[in-house]
Amino acid sequence: MNQQSTTDSRGGALLDSRPPARVLFGKYELGRLLGRGASAKVYHARHLDTGNSVAIKVFPNPRRHPAGPSCSTSTYSFLREISALRRLRHPHIVRLHEVLASRSSVYLVIELAKGGELFSRLKDRGRLPDDLCRRIFRQLLSAVAYSHSRGVCHRDLKPENLLLDDAGDLMVSDFGFSALRSSPDDNLLHTQCGTPAYVAPEILQSRKGTEGYDGAKADIWSCGIILFVLNAGYLPFNDQNLMSLYRKIYRGHHRCPRWTPPDLRRLISRFLDPNPNTRITVDDILRDPWFARGFDAEQLATLMRPQIGDGGLGTKQHRGRSSGGGELNAFDLIASASGLDLSGLFVEVAMDREWFATAEPVDQLMGRVEEVAKEEGMVARREREKGSSAVVEGENGDFVVRVEVYRMAGGVMVVEAEVGGGAAEKGFWRDRLRPVLSGPSHPPA
Ligand code: ATP
């Protein structure tokens, strides 16, 4: 979190790890430290093949630090982050390029946010003018609604985790606290996480044995706090004393500064509703006059379903098992992480993916995906410029399945399917789509 910070009271095992080598795996040249948080250090790096800049987030390898004070936090945070980011491709969410691991560390190679933290921008300027506030907030809402539609709740939304690209556009990062929903019935979470000033009241009240909270509604609360901070330049609920802070949050009483326009005041108060059941929803936000100002229906639709470019490194990403050279990828790491129960985190991600080979051309495969989706009243959206990936969505924008096709040597295509967690999504894939894409299925190695 603190850029270029030299001390870290929360680093635990992180502090014990030696500085990483200057060239990693013969692929990345490591540069300056961009920042550090409780679980990882983040470095600037250059991809040697393409010269592209990336950010590399370095976590201590839990196998090397099994008894370290931050072991469980860092273990789970990098696995959560990998699980979440593998599901997400959105212009306002940092992209995970690949995962590498050595004996001492795990490296997440992620898209570089060249503009740094939104937090620093706020510290410099105090607050944002109305138009800029609206632009950034729209991008945030688009990213958050998209994550929710992919079954990912961030649970730690705050300006420090909102980064900017070189054009000043938003990039949501740090999914280390995120939660994955494996099915629509699996909505309620119990874990208390996040940063107190941004945390929804129902999370503060949530304990094991109670009903739990809806992570998506809790994210909407945090968006409301961020909206307040962008406009005001300070927090709506603040107190040195934690109990007093919690009381303020439970009551939801806040006071907007005098410059906040009346329509924005109304919108903020609908976000900061302590009752998650009456709190504003994404549909309501899209209809709100402050949020929608200057946008017609088409522009709003584009905002919520943006085009997604390749965004890659220009090289094939590591998939499956890596070979030789002492390198490990995330899958090797999980397979070898004896003594740590990682099953709950990764099983689901492995289970909802499937690979098979076929000789059919990409266009034909993608055409079939579109055809079947149409027949079933769904929408298939191509995601890459070359059209080698398509996401099928239900009528209400829910994620159903992503089909991605990789060209291998000898004209062989490998189809990777990621299937949504519900029975309907699985049925659609098994009974409708997989048969027409043909080929026997092989569960992941
Ligand atoms: P936390 O303490 O919230 O768990 P963390 O250990 O997960 O944090 P991050 O918050 O992801 O670490 O990263 C620490 C800092 O590194 C960020 O606050 C930011 O300044 C910088 N950083 C992270 N990701 C990137 C990126 N993709 N591009 C540029 N800088 C980044």
Side-chain angles (χ1 to χ4, degrees), residues 125-210:
R125 292 183 175 214
R127 62 187 163 102
L128 302 185
D130 202 46
D131 282 351
L132 185 54
C133 175
R134 187 181 291 103
R135 183 165 76 96
I136 296 285
F137 189 73
R138 279 175 176 161
Q139 296 174 351
L140 173 65
L141 191 83
S142 170
V144 169
Y146 166 84
S147 303
H148 293 169
S149 76
R150 297 290 181 269
V152 177
C153 301
H154 188 287
R155 303 200 297 178
D156 194 20
L157 290 167
K158 56 184 177 181
E160 294 89 326
N161 289 335
L162 303 182
L163 307 179
L164 299 170
D165 66 13
D166 44 0
D169 286 322
L170 191 72
M171 296 170 82
V172 179
S173 80
D174 195 2
F175 282 75
F177 274 135
S178 64
L180 303 183
R181 269 198 330 245
S182 49
S183 80
D185 307 329
D186 178 22
N187 268 343
L188 296 178
L189 305 164
H190 286 91
T191 316
Q192 283 208 0
C193 53
T195 305
Y198 291 84
V199 158
E202 65 270 22
I203 296 191
L204 299 174
Q205 277 163 333
S206 158
R207 270 168 283 120
K208 278 233 152 43
T210 60

Coordinates of all heavy atoms in Angstrom, one line a residue, residues 125-210:
R125 N -5.0 16.2 -4.7 CA -6.0 17.2 -5.1 C -7.0 17.5 -4.1 O -7.8 18.4 -4.2 CB -6.8 16.6 -6.3 CG -6.0 16.5 -7.6 CD -7.0 16.0 -8.6 NE -6.4 15.9 -9.9 CZ -7.1 16.2 -11.0 NH1 -8.4 16.5 -10.9 NH2 -6.6 16.0 -12.2
G126 N -7.1 16.6 -3.1 CA -8.1 16.8 -2.0 C -9.4 16.1 -2.4 O -9.9 15.2 -1.8
R127 N -10.0 16.5 -3.5 CA -11.2 15.8 -4.0 C -11.3 16.0 -5.5 O -10.5 16.8 -6.1 CB -12.5 16.5 -3.4 CG -12.6 18.0 -3.7 CD -13.7 18.6 -2.9 NE -13.7 20.0 -2.9 CZ -14.4 20.8 -3.6 NH1 -15.3 20.3 -4.5 NH2 -14.3 22.1 -3.5
L128 N -12.2 15.3 -6.2 CA -12.3 15.4 -7.6 C -13.5 16.2 -8.1 O -14.5 16.2 -7.4 CB -12.5 14.0 -8.2 CG -11.5 12.9 -7.9 CD1 -11.8 11.6 -8.7 CD2 -10.0 13.4 -8.2
P129 N -13.3 17.0 -9.2 CA -14.4 17.7 -9.7 C -15.5 16.8 -10.1 O -15.3 15.6 -10.4 CB -13.8 18.5 -10.9 CG -12.5 17.9 -11.1 CD -12.1 17.1 -9.9
D130 N -16.8 17.3 -10.2 CA -18.0 16.5 -10.4 C -17.8 15.5 -11.6 O -18.1 14.4 -11.5 CB -19.2 17.4 -10.5 CG -20.5 16.6 -10.2 OD1 -20.5 15.9 -9.2 OD2 -21.4 16.7 -11.0
D131 N -17.4 16.1 -12.8 CA -17.3 15.3 -14.0 C -16.3 14.1 -13.9 O -16.6 13.0 -14.3 CB -16.9 16.2 -15.2 CG -18.1 17.0 -15.7 OD1 -19.2 16.7 -15.2 OD2 -17.9 17.9 -16.5
L132 N -15.1 14.4 -13.3 CA -14.1 13.4 -13.1 C -14.6 12.3 -12.1 O -14.4 11.1 -12.3 CB -12.8 14.0 -12.7 CG -11.6 13.1 -12.6 CD1 -11.3 12.4 -13.9 CD2 -10.3 13.9 -12.2
C133 N -15.2 12.8 -11.1 CA -15.8 11.9 -10.1 C -16.8 10.9 -10.7 O -16.7 9.7 -10.5 CB -16.5 12.8 -9.0 SG -17.4 11.9 -7.8
R134 N -17.6 11.5 -11.6 CA -18.6 10.6 -12.3 C -18.0 9.6 -13.2 O -18.3 8.5 -13.3 CB -19.6 11.5 -13.1 CG -20.8 10.8 -13.7 CD -21.7 11.7 -14.5 NE -22.5 12.6 -13.7 CZ -22.2 13.9 -13.5 NH1 -21.2 14.4 -14.2 NH2 -22.9 14.6 -12.8
R135 N -16.9 10.1 -14.0 CA -16.3 9.2 -14.9 C -15.6 8.0 -14.2 O -15.8 6.9 -14.6 CB -15.2 10.0 -15.7 CG -14.5 9.2 -16.8 CD -13.7 10.1 -17.7 NE -12.5 10.6 -17.1 CZ -11.3 10.0 -17.3 NH1 -11.2 9.0 -18.0 NH2 -10.2 10.5 -16.7
I136 N -14.9 8.3 -13.1 CA -14.2 7.3 -12.4 C -15.2 6.3 -11.7 O -15.1 5.1 -11.8 CB -13.3 7.9 -11.3 CG1 -12.1 8.7 -11.9 CG2 -12.7 6.8 -10.4 CD1 -11.0 7.9 -12.5
F137 N -16.3 7.0 -11.2 CA -17.2 6.1 -10.5 C -18.0 5.2 -11.5 O -18.3 4.1 -11.1 CB -18.2 7.0 -9.7 CG -19.1 6.2 -8.8 CD1 -18.6 5.6 -7.7 CD2 -20.4 6.0 -9.1 CE1 -19.3 4.8 -6.9 CE2 -21.2 5.2 -8.3 CZ -20.7 4.6 -7.2
R138 N -18.3 5.7 -12.6 CA -18.9 4.8 -13.6 C -18.0 3.6 -14.0 O -18.5 2.5 -14.1 CB -19.2 5.6 -14.9 CG -20.4 6.5 -14.9 CD -20.5 7.3 -16.2 NE -21.7 8.1 -16.2 CZ -21.8 9.2 -17.0 NH1 -20.9 9.5 -17.8 NH2 -23.0 9.8 -17.0
Q139 N -16.7 3.9 -14.1 CA -15.8 2.8 -14.4 C -15.8 1.8 -13.3 O -15.7 0.6 -13.5 CB -14.4 3.4 -14.7 CG -14.4 4.2 -16.0 CD -13.1 4.9 -16.2 OE1 -12.2 4.9 -15.4 NE2 -13.0 5.6 -17.4
L140 N -15.8 2.3 -12.1 CA -15.8 1.4 -10.9 C -17.1 0.6 -10.9 O -17.0 -0.7 -10.7 CB -15.8 2.3 -9.6 CG -15.9 1.5 -8.3 CD1 -14.8 0.5 -8.1 CD2 -16.0 2.4 -7.1
L141 N -18.2 1.2 -11.1 CA -19.5 0.4 -11.1 C -19.5 -0.6 -12.2 O -19.9 -1.8 -12.0 CB -20.7 1.3 -11.3 CG -21.9 0.5 -10.9 CD1 -22.2 0.5 -9.5 CD2 -23.1 1.0 -11.7
S142 N -19.0 -0.3 -13.4 CA -18.9 -1.2 -14.5 C -18.1 -2.4 -14.1 O -18.5 -3.6 -14.3 CB -18.3 -0.5 -15.7 OG -18.1 -1.5 -16.7
A143 N -16.9 -2.2 -13.5 CA -16.0 -3.3 -13.1 C -16.6 -4.1 -12.0 O -16.6 -5.4 -12.0 CB -14.7 -2.7 -12.6
V144 N -17.3 -3.5 -11.0 CA -17.9 -4.2 -9.9 C -19.1 -5.0 -10.3 O -19.2 -6.2 -10.0 CB -18.2 -3.2 -8.7 CG1 -19.1 -3.9 -7.6 CG2 -17.0 -2.6 -8.1
A145 N -19.9 -4.4 -11.1 CA -21.1 -5.2 -11.6 C -20.6 -6.4 -12.4 O -21.2 -7.5 -12.3 CB -22.0 -4.3 -12.4
Y146 N -19.6 -6.2 -13.3 CA -19.1 -7.3 -14.1 C -18.5 -8.4 -13.2 O -18.8 -9.6 -13.4 CB -18.0 -6.7 -15.0 CG -17.1 -7.8 -15.6 CD1 -17.6 -8.5 -16.8 CD2 -15.9 -8.2 -15.1 CE1 -16.8 -9.5 -17.4 CE2 -15.2 -9.2 -15.6 CZ -15.6 -9.9 -16.8 OH -14.9 -10.9 -17.3
S147 N -17.7 -8.0 -12.2 CA -17.2 -9.1 -11.2 C -18.3 -9.9 -10.6 O -18.3 -11.1 -10.5 CB -16.4 -8.4 -10.1 OG -15.4 -7.6 -10.6
H148 N -19.4 -9.1 -10.2 CA -20.5 -9.8 -9.5 C -21.1 -10.8 -10.5 O -21.5 -11.9 -10.2 CB -21.5 -8.8 -9.0 CG -21.0 -8.0 -7.9 ND1 -21.6 -6.9 -7.4 CD2 -19.8 -8.1 -7.1 CE1 -20.9 -6.4 -6.4 NE2 -19.8 -7.1 -6.2
S149 N -21.2 -10.4 -11.8 CA -21.9 -11.2 -12.8 C -21.0 -12.5 -13.0 O -21.5 -13.5 -13.5 CB -22.2 -10.5 -14.1 OG -20.9 -10.4 -14.8
R150 N -19.7 -12.4 -12.7 CA -18.9 -13.6 -12.9 C -18.7 -14.3 -11.5 O -17.8 -15.1 -11.4 CB -17.5 -13.1 -13.4 CG -17.5 -12.5 -14.7 CD -17.8 -13.5 -15.8 NE -17.8 -13.0 -17.1 CZ -18.9 -12.5 -17.7 NH1 -20.0 -12.4 -17.1 NH2 -18.8 -12.0 -18.9
G151 N -19.5 -13.9 -10.5 CA -19.5 -14.7 -9.3 C -18.3 -14.2 -8.4 O -17.9 -15.0 -7.4
V152 N -17.7 -13.1 -8.6 CA -16.6 -12.6 -7.7 C -17.0 -11.3 -7.0 O -17.4 -10.3 -7.6 CB -15.4 -12.3 -8.6 CG1 -14.2 -11.7 -7.8 CG2 -14.9 -13.5 -9.4
C153 N -16.9 -11.4 -5.6 CA -17.1 -10.2 -4.8 C -15.7 -9.7 -4.4 O -14.9 -10.6 -3.9 CB -18.0 -10.5 -3.6 SG -19.6 -11.1 -4.1
H154 N -15.4 -8.5 -4.5 CA -14.1 -8.0 -4.2 C -13.8 -8.0 -2.6 O -12.8 -8.4 -2.2 CB -13.9 -6.6 -4.8 CG -12.5 -6.1 -4.7 ND1 -11.9 -5.6 -3.5 CD2 -11.5 -5.9 -5.6 CE1 -10.7 -5.2 -3.7 NE2 -10.4 -5.4 -5.0
R155 N -14.7 -7.4 -1.9 CA -14.7 -7.3 -0.4 C -13.6 -6.4 0.2 O -13.5 -6.4 1.4 CB -14.6 -8.7 0.2 CG -15.8 -9.6 -0.3 CD -16.0 -10.8 0.7 NE -14.8 -11.6 0.7 CZ -14.7 -12.7 1.5 NH1 -15.7 -13.0 2.3 NH2 -13.6 -13.4 1.5
D156 N -12.9 -5.7 -0.6 CA -11.9 -4.8 0.0 C -11.8 -3.6 -1.0 O -10.7 -3.1 -1.3 CB -10.5 -5.5 0.2 CG -9.6 -4.6 1.1 OD1 -10.1 -3.8 1.8 OD2 -8.4 -4.9 1.1
L157 N -12.9 -3.0 -1.4 CA -12.9 -1.9 -2.3 C -12.6 -0.6 -1.5 O -13.2 -0.3 -0.5 CB -14.2 -1.7 -3.0 CG -14.5 -2.8 -4.1 CD1 -16.0 -2.7 -4.5 CD2 -13.6 -2.7 -5.3
K158 N -11.5 0.1 -1.9 CA -11.1 1.3 -1.3 C -10.1 2.0 -2.2 O -9.6 1.3 -3.1 CB -10.4 1.0 0.1 CG -9.2 0.1 0.0 CD -8.6 -0.3 1.3 CE -7.5 -1.3 1.1 NZ -6.9 -1.7 2.3
P159 N -9.9 3.3 -2.1 CA -9.1 4.0 -3.1 C -7.7 3.5 -3.2 O -7.1 3.5 -4.3 CB -9.1 5.5 -2.5 CG -10.3 5.6 -1.7 CD -10.6 4.3 -1.1
E160 N -7.1 2.9 -2.2 CA -5.8 2.3 -2.3 C -5.8 1.1 -3.3 O -4.7 0.8 -3.8 CB -5.3 1.8 -0.9 CG -5.1 2.9 0.1 CD -6.3 3.2 0.9 OE1 -7.4 3.1 0.4 OE2 -6.2 3.6 2.1
N161 N -6.9 0.5 -3.5 CA -6.9 -0.7 -4.4 C -7.5 -0.3 -5.8 O -7.8 -1.1 -6.6 CB -7.8 -1.8 -3.8 CG -7.1 -2.5 -2.7 OD1 -5.9 -2.4 -2.6 ND2 -7.8 -3.1 -1.8
L162 N -7.7 1.0 -5.9 CA -8.1 1.5 -7.2 C -6.9 2.2 -7.9 O -6.5 3.2 -7.4 CB -9.3 2.5 -7.1 CG -10.5 1.9 -6.3 CD1 -11.6 3.0 -6.2 CD2 -11.0 0.7 -7.0
L163 N -6.4 1.6 -8.9 CA -5.2 2.1 -9.6 C -5.7 2.8 -10.9 O -6.9 2.7 -11.3 CB -4.3 1.0 -9.9 CG -3.9 0.1 -8.7 CD1 -2.9 -1.0 -9.1 CD2 -3.3 1.0 -7.6
L164 N -4.8 3.5 -11.5 CA -5.1 4.3 -12.7 C -4.1 3.9 -13.9 O -2.9 3.6 -13.6 CB -5.0 5.8 -12.5 CG -5.9 6.4 -11.4 CD1 -5.5 7.8 -11.1 CD2 -7.4 6.3 -11.9
D165 N -4.6 3.9 -15.1 CA -3.7 3.7 -16.2 C -3.1 5.0 -16.6 O -3.4 6.0 -16.0 CB -4.4 2.9 -17.3 CG -5.5 3.7 -18.0 OD1 -5.6 4.9 -17.8 OD2 -6.2 3.1 -18.8
D166 N -2.3 5.0 -17.7 CA -1.6 6.3 -18.1 C -2.6 7.3 -18.6 O -2.3 8.5 -18.7 CB -0.5 6.0 -19.1 CG -0.9 5.0 -20.2 OD1 -2.0 4.6 -20.2 OD2 0.0 4.8 -21.1
A167 N -3.9 6.9 -19.0 CA -4.9 7.8 -19.5 C -5.7 8.3 -18.3 O -6.7 9.1 -18.5 CB -5.7 7.2 -20.5
G168 N -5.4 7.8 -17.1 CA -6.2 8.3 -15.9 C -7.5 7.4 -15.8 O -8.4 7.8 -15.0
D169 N -7.6 6.3 -16.5 CA -8.8 5.5 -16.3 C -8.5 4.5 -15.2 O -7.4 4.1 -14.9 CB -9.1 4.7 -17.7 CG -9.7 5.7 -18.7 OD1 -10.5 6.6 -18.2 OD2 -9.4 5.6 -19.9
L170 N -9.6 4.0 -14.7 CA -9.6 3.2 -13.5 C -9.1 1.7 -13.8 O -9.5 1.1 -14.8 CB -11.0 3.1 -12.9 CG -11.1 2.5 -11.5 CD1 -10.5 3.5 -10.5 CD2 -12.5 2.2 -11.1
M171 N -8.4 1.1 -12.8 CA -8.1 -0.3 -12.9 C -8.2 -0.8 -11.5 O -7.5 -0.5 -10.6 CB -6.6 -0.5 -13.3 CG -6.4 0.0 -14.8 SD -4.7 -0.1 -15.2 CE -4.5 -1.8 -15.6
V172 N -9.3 -1.7 -11.3 CA -9.5 -2.2 -9.9 C -8.5 -3.3 -9.7 O -8.2 -4.1 -10.6 CB -10.9 -2.8 -9.8 CG1 -11.1 -3.4 -8.4 CG2 -11.9 -1.7 -10.1
S173 N -7.8 -3.3 -8.5 CA -6.8 -4.3 -8.3 C -7.0 -5.0 -6.9 O -8.0 -4.6 -6.2 CB -5.4 -3.7 -8.3 OG -5.1 -3.0 -7.1
D174 N -6.1 -5.8 -6.5 CA -6.0 -6.5 -5.2 C -7.3 -7.3 -4.9 O -8.1 -6.8 -4.0 CB -5.7 -5.4 -4.1 CG -5.3 -6.1 -2.8 OD1 -5.2 -7.4 -2.8 OD2 -5.1 -5.4 -1.8
F175 N -7.4 -8.4 -5.5 CA -8.6 -9.3 -5.2 C -8.2 -10.3 -4.2 O -8.8 -11.4 -4.1 CB -9.0 -10.0 -6.5 CG -9.8 -9.1 -7.4 CD1 -9.3 -8.1 -8.1 CD2 -11.2 -9.2 -7.5 CE1 -10.0 -7.2 -8.9 CE2 -12.0 -8.4 -8.3 CZ -11.4 -7.3 -9.0
G176 N -7.2 -10.0 -3.3 CA -6.8 -10.9 -2.3 C -7.8 -11.3 -1.2 O -7.7 -12.2 -0.5
F177 N -8.8 -10.4 -1.1 CA -9.9 -10.7 -0.1 C -11.1 -11.2 -0.8 O -12.2 -11.4 -0.2 CB -10.3 -9.4 0.6 CG -9.4 -9.2 1.8 CD1 -8.9 -7.9 2.1 CD2 -9.1 -10.2 2.7 CE1 -8.2 -7.6 3.2 CE2 -8.3 -9.9 3.9 CZ -7.9 -8.6 4.1
S178 N -11.1 -11.4 -2.1 CA -12.3 -11.7 -2.8 C -12.9 -13.0 -2.5 O -12.2 -13.9 -1.9 CB -12.0 -11.6 -4.3 OG -11.1 -12.7 -4.7
A179 N -14.2 -13.2 -2.8 CA -14.9 -14.4 -2.5 C -15.5 -14.9 -3.8 O -16.0 -14.0 -4.6 CB -15.9 -14.2 -1.5
L180 N -15.4 -16.2 -4.1 CA -16.1 -16.7 -5.3 C -17.4 -17.4 -4.9 O -17.4 -18.1 -3.9 CB -15.2 -17.7 -6.0 CG -13.8 -17.3 -6.3 CD1 -13.1 -18.4 -7.0 CD2 -13.8 -16.1 -7.2
R181 N -18.4 -17.1 -5.7 CA -19.6 -17.8 -5.5 C -19.7 -19.0 -6.5 O -19.5 -18.8 -7.7 CB -20.8 -16.9 -5.8 CG -21.3 -16.1 -4.7 CD -22.7 -15.5 -4.9 NE -23.0 -15.2 -6.2 CZ -23.2 -14.0 -6.7 NH1 -23.1 -13.0 -5.9 NH2 -23.6 -13.8 -7.9
S182 N -19.8 -20.2 -5.9 CA -19.8 -21.3 -6.9 C -21.2 -21.6 -7.4 O -21.4 -22.2 -8.4 CB -19.3 -22.6 -6.2 OG -19.9 -22.7 -4.9
S183 N -22.3 -21.2 -6.7 CA -23.6 -21.3 -7.3 C -24.5 -20.2 -6.8 O -24.2 -19.6 -5.8 CB -24.2 -22.7 -6.8 OG -24.7 -22.5 -5.5
P184 N -25.6 -19.9 -7.5 CA -26.4 -18.8 -7.1 C -27.0 -19.0 -5.7 O -27.4 -18.1 -5.1 CB -27.5 -18.8 -8.2 CG -27.0 -19.7 -9.3 CD -26.0 -20.6 -8.7
D185 N -27.0 -20.3 -5.2 CA -27.6 -20.5 -3.9 C -26.5 -20.2 -2.8 O -26.8 -20.2 -1.6 CB -28.0 -21.9 -3.7 CG -28.9 -22.4 -4.8 OD1 -29.7 -21.5 -5.3 OD2 -28.9 -23.5 -5.2
D186 N -25.3 -20.1 -3.3 CA -24.1 -19.9 -2.3 C -23.8 -18.4 -2.2 O -22.7 -18.0 -2.5 CB -23.0 -20.7 -3.0 CG -21.7 -20.6 -2.1 OD1 -21.8 -20.4 -0.9 OD2 -20.6 -20.8 -2.7
N187 N -24.8 -17.7 -1.7 CA -24.7 -16.2 -1.7 C -24.1 -15.6 -0.5 O -23.6 -14.5 -0.5 CB -26.1 -15.6 -2.0 CG -26.3 -15.4 -3.4 OD1 -25.4 -15.4 -4.2 ND2 -27.6 -15.2 -3.8
L188 N -24.3 -16.3 0.6 CA -24.0 -15.6 1.9 C -22.6 -16.0 2.5 O -22.3 -17.1 2.5 CB -25.1 -15.9 2.9 CG -26.5 -15.4 2.5 CD1 -27.5 -15.8 3.5 CD2 -26.5 -13.9 2.3
L189 N -21.9 -14.9 2.8 CA -20.6 -15.1 3.3 C -20.5 -14.8 4.8 O -21.4 -14.1 5.3 CB -19.7 -14.1 2.6 CG -19.7 -14.1 1.0 CD1 -19.1 -12.9 0.4 CD2 -19.0 -15.3 0.5
H190 N -19.5 -15.3 5.5 CA -19.4 -15.1 6.9 C -18.1 -14.4 7.3 O -18.0 -13.8 8.3 CB -19.4 -16.4 7.7 CG -20.8 -16.9 7.7 ND1 -21.3 -17.8 6.8 CD2 -21.8 -16.7 8.6 CE1 -22.6 -18.1 7.1 NE2 -22.9 -17.4 8.2
T191 N -17.1 -14.5 6.4 CA -15.7 -14.0 6.8 C -15.8 -12.5 6.9 O -16.3 -11.8 6.0 CB -14.7 -14.3 5.7 OG1 -14.9 -15.7 5.3 CG2 -13.3 -14.1 6.2
Q192 N -15.2 -12.0 8.0 CA -15.1 -10.5 8.2 C -13.8 -10.1 7.5 O -12.7 -10.5 7.9 CB -15.0 -10.2 9.7 CG -16.3 -10.3 10.4 CD -16.3 -9.3 11.6 OE1 -15.4 -8.6 11.9 NE2 -17.4 -9.3 12.3
C193 N -13.9 -9.2 6.5 CA -12.7 -8.7 5.9 C -13.0 -7.3 5.3 O -14.1 -6.8 5.4 CB -12.2 -9.7 4.8 SG -13.4 -10.0 3.6
G194 N -11.9 -6.7 4.8 CA -12.0 -5.4 4.3 C -11.4 -4.4 5.3 O -10.8 -4.8 6.3
T195 N -11.5 -3.1 5.0 CA -10.9 -2.1 5.8 C -12.0 -1.3 6.6 O -12.9 -0.9 5.9 CB -10.1 -1.2 4.9 OG1 -9.2 -2.0 4.1 CG2 -9.3 -0.1 5.6
P196 N -11.9 -1.2 7.9 CA -13.1 -0.8 8.7 C -13.9 0.4 8.1 O -15.1 0.3 8.0 CB -12.5 -0.4 10.0 CG -11.3 -1.3 10.1 CD -10.8 -1.5 8.7
A197 N -13.2 1.5 7.7 CA -13.9 2.6 7.2 C -14.7 2.4 6.0 O -15.7 3.1 5.6 CB -13.0 3.8 7.0
Y198 N -14.4 1.3 5.2 CA -15.1 1.0 4.0 C -16.1 -0.2 4.1 O -16.7 -0.5 3.1 CB -14.1 0.7 2.8 CG -13.3 2.0 2.5 CD1 -12.2 2.4 3.2 CD2 -13.7 2.8 1.4 CE1 -11.5 3.5 2.9 CE2 -13.1 4.0 1.1 CZ -11.9 4.3 1.8 OH -11.3 5.5 1.5
V199 N -16.1 -0.8 5.3 CA -16.8 -2.0 5.4 C -18.3 -1.8 5.7 O -18.7 -1.0 6.5 CB -16.1 -2.8 6.5 CG1 -17.0 -3.9 7.1 CG2 -14.9 -3.5 6.0
A200 N -19.1 -2.6 5.1 CA -20.6 -2.5 5.3 C -21.0 -3.0 6.7 O -20.3 -3.9 7.2 CB -21.3 -3.4 4.2
P201 N -22.1 -2.4 7.2 CA -22.5 -2.8 8.6 C -22.8 -4.3 8.7 O -22.5 -4.8 9.8 CB -23.7 -1.9 8.8 CG -24.1 -1.2 7.6 CD -22.9 -1.3 6.7
E202 N -23.3 -4.9 7.7 CA -23.7 -6.3 7.9 C -22.4 -7.2 8.0 O -22.5 -8.2 8.5 CB -24.6 -6.8 6.7 CG -24.0 -6.7 5.3 CD -24.2 -5.4 4.6 OE1 -24.5 -4.4 5.3 OE2 -24.1 -5.4 3.3
I203 N -21.3 -6.7 7.4 CA -20.1 -7.5 7.6 C -19.6 -7.4 9.0 O -19.2 -8.4 9.6 CB -18.9 -7.0 6.6 CG1 -19.4 -7.2 5.2 CG2 -17.6 -7.7 6.9 CD1 -18.2 -7.0 4.2
L204 N -19.7 -6.2 9.6 CA -19.3 -6.0 11.0 C -20.1 -6.8 11.9 O -19.6 -7.3 12.9 CB -19.4 -4.5 11.4 CG -18.5 -3.5 10.5 CD1 -18.8 -2.1 10.9 CD2 -17.0 -3.8 10.7
Q205 N -21.3 -7.0 11.6 CA -22.2 -7.8 12.4 C -22.1 -9.3 12.2 O -22.6 -10.1 13.0 CB -23.7 -7.4 12.2 CG -24.1 -6.2 13.0 CD -25.3 -5.5 12.4 OE1 -25.7 -5.7 11.3 NE2 -26.0 -4.8 13.3
S206 N -21.5 -9.7 11.1 CA -21.5 -11.1 10.7 C -20.6 -11.9 11.5 O -19.4 -11.6 11.7 CB -21.1 -11.2 9.2 OG -20.6 -12.4 8.9
R207 N -21.1 -13.0 12.1 CA -20.3 -14.0 12.9 C -20.7 -15.3 12.4 O -21.8 -15.5 11.8 CB -20.6 -13.8 14.4 CG -19.7 -12.8 15.1 CD -20.3 -12.5 16.4 NE -21.4 -11.6 16.3 CZ -22.6 -11.8 16.8 NH1 -22.9 -13.0 17.3 NH2 -23.6 -10.9 16.6
K208 N -19.9 -16.3 12.7 CA -20.3 -17.7 12.4 C -21.5 -18.0 13.2 O -21.7 -17.6 14.3 CB -19.2 -18.7 12.8 CG -18.1 -18.8 11.8 CD -17.8 -20.3 11.5 CE -17.3 -20.5 10.1 NZ -16.2 -19.7 9.6
G209 N -22.5 -18.7 12.6 CA -23.7 -19.0 13.3 C -24.8 -18.0 13.0 O -26.0 -18.3 13.2
T210 N -24.4 -16.8 12.5 CA -25.5 -15.9 12.0 C -25.7 -16.2 10.5 O -25.1 -17.0 9.9 CB -25.0 -14.4 12.2 OG1 -23.9 -14.2 11.5 CG2 -24.8 -14.1 13.7

